[in-house]
Amino acid sequence: MKSRLNRLLGRPGARRRAGTALAVAALTVPLTVALGSTAEAASSSCTAVRGPYQKQAEKFLGRPVDGRQSAADCRAIRAFQTSHGISPNIGYAGPVTWGVMGLVAQQKAAGHNPNSAHKCPTNKGRIACVDLTRQLSWIQDGSKLVYGPVPVRTGRDGYETRGGAKKIYWRNLHHVSTLYNVAMPYSQFFDGGQAFHSISGSVWSAPGSHGCVNMRSGDAKKYWSLLKNGDDVHVYGRKSGT
């Protein structure tokens, strides 16, 4: 095969045609973007194509904001995608990547005062708060922050995490879902089949859970140590896309 290719490239004009074909292939990536999905392109390599949110991604990542995709831009965007479970991680600044960036920005802005808007009750003692809008959760005691805020992943469209005042009524350290046959470590149920529990994947990955509040392992373990049956849970806000 290699010798045949070398013979073909030795013919007049073949090198020019081959070079053109390779250049076109290198620039070709699917530009159809699946909104609400982690899929933004079908390639597994870093892309040279700028996404529709190129400038916004550059600004978020502290890159020079020129709206042009450079190799360094691609590496930075790809690193963000990898760390936040966005697949494929090709460095394409599409709507899914920008949506996660916006969510992360809100989560960072919450700082050490996630209840600054006073939407989670402060008159109930120990309570776990879940903000669906910012995909954040924390534990407070009165107005004192006990733990968090931490990023969470709540229910997807059609499986929304239900809002309102709840109480933890059942805990199972090594629970396995009978509906989906998946492990749900550190499960603390507060509304029917909806519970706090850890997941092995990314809490930022779309589209979301089947109603549970998914957590990173360390955060779910900490919640397990801080909460008990009868403790209050308050869920409010609305997750984007639901």
Side-chain angles (χ1 to χ4, degrees), residues 21-41:
L22 289 172
V24 170
L27 289 174
T28 302
V29 297
L31 296 182
T32 55
V33 178
L35 284 170
S37 165
T38 53
E40 291 189 339

PDB file of all heavy atoms in Angstrom, residues 21-41:
ATOM      1  N   ALA A  21      -6.570  17.417  -1.164  1.00  0.00           N
ATOM      2  CA  ALA A  21      -7.526  16.503  -0.525  1.00  0.00           C
ATOM      3  C   ALA A  21      -7.281  16.396   0.963  1.00  0.00           C
ATOM      4  O   ALA A  21      -8.217  16.387   1.768  1.00  0.00           O
ATOM      5  CB  ALA A  21      -7.425  15.116  -1.170  1.00  0.00           C
ATOM      6  N   LEU A  22      -6.010  16.314   1.362  1.00  0.00           N
ATOM      7  CA  LEU A  22      -5.685  16.224   2.786  1.00  0.00           C
ATOM      8  C   LEU A  22      -6.085  17.490   3.526  1.00  0.00           C
ATOM      9  O   LEU A  22      -6.564  17.442   4.655  1.00  0.00           O
ATOM     10  CB  LEU A  22      -4.185  15.950   2.973  1.00  0.00           C
ATOM     11  CG  LEU A  22      -3.721  14.535   2.581  1.00  0.00           C
ATOM     12  CD1 LEU A  22      -2.197  14.466   2.619  1.00  0.00           C
ATOM     13  CD2 LEU A  22      -4.325  13.501   3.517  1.00  0.00           C
ATOM     14  N   ALA A  23      -5.883  18.655   2.889  1.00  0.00           N
ATOM     15  CA  ALA A  23      -6.245  19.921   3.531  1.00  0.00           C
ATOM     16  C   ALA A  23      -7.745  20.003   3.743  1.00  0.00           C
ATOM     17  O   ALA A  23      -8.218  20.447   4.794  1.00  0.00           O
ATOM     18  CB  ALA A  23      -5.763  21.103   2.676  1.00  0.00           C
ATOM     19  N   VAL A  24      -8.519  19.587   2.732  1.00  0.00           N
ATOM     20  CA  VAL A  24      -9.971  19.608   2.862  1.00  0.00           C
ATOM     21  C   VAL A  24     -10.412  18.663   3.964  1.00  0.00           C
ATOM     22  O   VAL A  24     -11.262  18.990   4.788  1.00  0.00           O
ATOM     23  CB  VAL A  24     -10.638  19.223   1.522  1.00  0.00           C
ATOM     24  CG1 VAL A  24     -12.138  19.012   1.702  1.00  0.00           C
ATOM     25  CG2 VAL A  24     -10.383  20.297   0.470  1.00  0.00           C
ATOM     26  N   ALA A  25      -9.803  17.472   4.013  1.00  0.00           N
ATOM     27  CA  ALA A  25     -10.173  16.499   5.050  1.00  0.00           C
ATOM     28  C   ALA A  25      -9.867  17.020   6.433  1.00  0.00           C
ATOM     29  O   ALA A  25     -10.611  16.811   7.384  1.00  0.00           O
ATOM     30  CB  ALA A  25      -9.432  15.180   4.812  1.00  0.00           C
ATOM     31  N   ALA A  26      -8.749  17.729   6.579  1.00  0.00           N
ATOM     32  CA  ALA A  26      -8.346  18.243   7.893  1.00  0.00           C
ATOM     33  C   ALA A  26      -9.304  19.306   8.398  1.00  0.00           C
ATOM     34  O   ALA A  26      -9.470  19.490   9.601  1.00  0.00           O
ATOM     35  CB  ALA A  26      -6.933  18.809   7.817  1.00  0.00           C
ATOM     36  N   LEU A  27      -9.940  20.043   7.484  1.00  0.00           N
ATOM     37  CA  LEU A  27     -10.831  21.122   7.884  1.00  0.00           C
ATOM     38  C   LEU A  27     -12.269  20.665   8.060  1.00  0.00           C
ATOM     39  O   LEU A  27     -13.109  21.427   8.505  1.00  0.00           O
ATOM     40  CB  LEU A  27     -10.795  22.247   6.837  1.00  0.00           C
ATOM     41  CG  LEU A  27      -9.502  23.068   6.792  1.00  0.00           C
ATOM     42  CD1 LEU A  27      -9.559  24.038   5.613  1.00  0.00           C
ATOM     43  CD2 LEU A  27      -9.286  23.823   8.083  1.00  0.00           C
ATOM     44  N   THR A  28     -12.556  19.432   7.675  1.00  0.00           N
ATOM     45  CA  THR A  28     -13.939  18.968   7.691  1.00  0.00           C
ATOM     46  C   THR A  28     -14.306  18.383   9.038  1.00  0.00           C
ATOM     47  O   THR A  28     -13.765  17.371   9.446  1.00  0.00           O
ATOM     48  CB  THR A  28     -14.163  17.901   6.596  1.00  0.00           C
ATOM     49  OG1 THR A  28     -13.825  18.455   5.344  1.00  0.00           O
ATOM     50  CG2 THR A  28     -15.620  17.435   6.585  1.00  0.00           C
ATOM     51  N   VAL A  29     -15.235  19.044   9.751  1.00  0.00           N
ATOM     52  CA  VAL A  29     -15.832  18.477  10.958  1.00  0.00           C
ATOM     53  C   VAL A  29     -17.328  18.742  10.881  1.00  0.00           C
ATOM     54  O   VAL A  29     -17.753  19.732  10.299  1.00  0.00           O
ATOM     55  CB  VAL A  29     -15.273  19.116  12.263  1.00  0.00           C
ATOM     56  CG1 VAL A  29     -13.796  18.853  12.395  1.00  0.00           C
ATOM     57  CG2 VAL A  29     -15.566  20.598  12.330  1.00  0.00           C
ATOM     58  N   PRO A  30     -18.107  17.852  11.413  1.00  0.00           N
ATOM     59  CA  PRO A  30     -19.564  18.083  11.384  1.00  0.00           C
ATOM     60  C   PRO A  30     -19.919  19.338  12.159  1.00  0.00           C
ATOM     61  O   PRO A  30     -19.520  19.497  13.299  1.00  0.00           O
ATOM     62  CB  PRO A  30     -20.122  16.830  12.062  1.00  0.00           C
ATOM     63  CG  PRO A  30     -19.038  15.798  11.940  1.00  0.00           C
ATOM     64  CD  PRO A  30     -17.764  16.579  11.999  1.00  0.00           C
ATOM     65  N   LEU A  31     -20.666  20.207  11.547  1.00  0.00           N
ATOM     66  CA  LEU A  31     -21.056  21.450  12.203  1.00  0.00           C
ATOM     67  C   LEU A  31     -22.485  21.375  12.727  1.00  0.00           C
ATOM     68  O   LEU A  31     -23.002  22.354  13.250  1.00  0.00           O
ATOM     69  CB  LEU A  31     -20.920  22.622  11.223  1.00  0.00           C
ATOM     70  CG  LEU A  31     -19.484  22.894  10.770  1.00  0.00           C
ATOM     71  CD1 LEU A  31     -19.463  24.107   9.841  1.00  0.00           C
ATOM     72  CD2 LEU A  31     -18.557  23.121  11.944  1.00  0.00           C
ATOM     73  N   THR A  32     -23.124  20.225  12.579  1.00  0.00           N
ATOM     74  CA  THR A  32     -24.441  20.050  13.183  1.00  0.00           C
ATOM     75  C   THR A  32     -24.243  19.780  14.651  1.00  0.00           C
ATOM     76  O   THR A  32     -23.529  18.863  15.024  1.00  0.00           O
ATOM     77  CB  THR A  32     -25.173  18.871  12.525  1.00  0.00           C
ATOM     78  OG1 THR A  32     -24.349  17.721  12.605  1.00  0.00           O
ATOM     79  CG2 THR A  32     -25.513  19.169  11.082  1.00  0.00           C
ATOM     80  N   VAL A  33     -24.853  20.613  15.485  1.00  0.00           N
ATOM     81  CA  VAL A  33     -24.636  20.534  16.921  1.00  0.00           C
ATOM     82  C   VAL A  33     -25.905  20.057  17.601  1.00  0.00           C
ATOM     83  O   VAL A  33     -26.987  20.573  17.341  1.00  0.00           O
ATOM     84  CB  VAL A  33     -24.228  21.914  17.479  1.00  0.00           C
ATOM     85  CG1 VAL A  33     -24.047  21.844  18.989  1.00  0.00           C
ATOM     86  CG2 VAL A  33     -22.935  22.376  16.827  1.00  0.00           C
ATOM     87  N   ALA A  34     -25.767  19.093  18.480  1.00  0.00           N
ATOM     88  CA  ALA A  34     -26.919  18.559  19.203  1.00  0.00           C
ATOM     89  C   ALA A  34     -27.125  19.320  20.494  1.00  0.00           C
ATOM     90  O   ALA A  34     -26.394  19.138  21.449  1.00  0.00           O
ATOM     91  CB  ALA A  34     -26.706  17.073  19.492  1.00  0.00           C
ATOM     92  N   LEU A  35     -28.101  20.212  20.509  1.00  0.00           N
ATOM     93  CA  LEU A  35     -28.400  20.975  21.719  1.00  0.00           C
ATOM     94  C   LEU A  35     -28.934  20.058  22.802  1.00  0.00           C
ATOM     95  O   LEU A  35     -29.735  19.177  22.538  1.00  0.00           O
ATOM     96  CB  LEU A  35     -29.434  22.057  21.407  1.00  0.00           C
ATOM     97  CG  LEU A  35     -28.902  23.277  20.665  1.00  0.00           C
ATOM     98  CD1 LEU A  35     -30.071  24.139  20.218  1.00  0.00           C
ATOM     99  CD2 LEU A  35     -27.950  24.079  21.523  1.00  0.00           C
ATOM    100  N   GLY A  36     -28.460  20.289  24.031  1.00  0.00           N
ATOM    101  CA  GLY A  36     -28.910  19.480  25.151  1.00  0.00           C
ATOM    102  C   GLY A  36     -28.215  18.140  25.233  1.00  0.00           C
ATOM    103  O   GLY A  36     -28.552  17.299  26.047  1.00  0.00           O
ATOM    104  N   SER A  37     -27.237  17.907  24.374  1.00  0.00           N
ATOM    105  CA  SER A  37     -26.480  16.664  24.404  1.00  0.00           C
ATOM    106  C   SER A  37     -25.024  16.999  24.575  1.00  0.00           C
ATOM    107  O   SER A  37     -24.577  18.112  24.302  1.00  0.00           O
ATOM    108  CB  SER A  37     -26.685  15.908  23.090  1.00  0.00           C
ATOM    109  OG  SER A  37     -25.732  14.894  22.927  1.00  0.00           O
ATOM    110  N   THR A  38     -24.225  16.006  24.993  1.00  0.00           N
ATOM    111  CA  THR A  38     -22.795  16.261  25.121  1.00  0.00           C
ATOM    112  C   THR A  38     -22.108  16.169  23.767  1.00  0.00           C
ATOM    113  O   THR A  38     -20.949  16.526  23.642  1.00  0.00           O
ATOM    114  CB  THR A  38     -22.149  15.248  26.074  1.00  0.00           C
ATOM    115  OG1 THR A  38     -22.496  13.927  25.639  1.00  0.00           O
ATOM    116  CG2 THR A  38     -22.622  15.454  27.492  1.00  0.00           C
ATOM    117  N   ALA A  39     -22.810  15.696  22.732  1.00  0.00           N
ATOM    118  CA  ALA A  39     -22.186  15.542  21.427  1.00  0.00           C
ATOM    119  C   ALA A  39     -22.163  16.862  20.683  1.00  0.00           C
ATOM    120  O   ALA A  39     -23.180  17.473  20.464  1.00  0.00           O
ATOM    121  CB  ALA A  39     -22.935  14.498  20.607  1.00  0.00           C
ATOM    122  N   GLU A  40     -20.952  17.283  20.243  1.00  0.00           N
ATOM    123  CA  GLU A  40     -20.840  18.514  19.477  1.00  0.00           C
ATOM    124  C   GLU A  40     -20.161  18.285  18.128  1.00  0.00           C
ATOM    125  O   GLU A  40     -20.183  19.137  17.267  1.00  0.00           O
ATOM    126  CB  GLU A  40     -20.068  19.558  20.281  1.00  0.00           C
ATOM    127  CG  GLU A  40     -20.848  20.046  21.470  1.00  0.00           C
ATOM    128  CD  GLU A  40     -20.207  21.230  22.150  1.00  0.00           C
ATOM    129  OE1 GLU A  40     -19.007  21.459  21.991  1.00  0.00           O
ATOM    130  OE2 GLU A  40     -20.921  21.944  22.851  1.00  0.00           O
ATOM    131  N   ALA A  41     -19.540  17.159  17.932  1.00  0.00           N
ATOM    132  CA  ALA A  41     -18.938  16.794  16.666  1.00  0.00           C
ATOM    133  C   ALA A  41     -18.596  15.323  16.735  1.00  0.00           C
ATOM    134  O   ALA A  41     -18.633  14.721  17.794  1.00  0.00           O
ATOM    135  CB  ALA A  41     -17.682  17.635  16.385  1.00  0.00           C
TER     136      ALA A  41
END
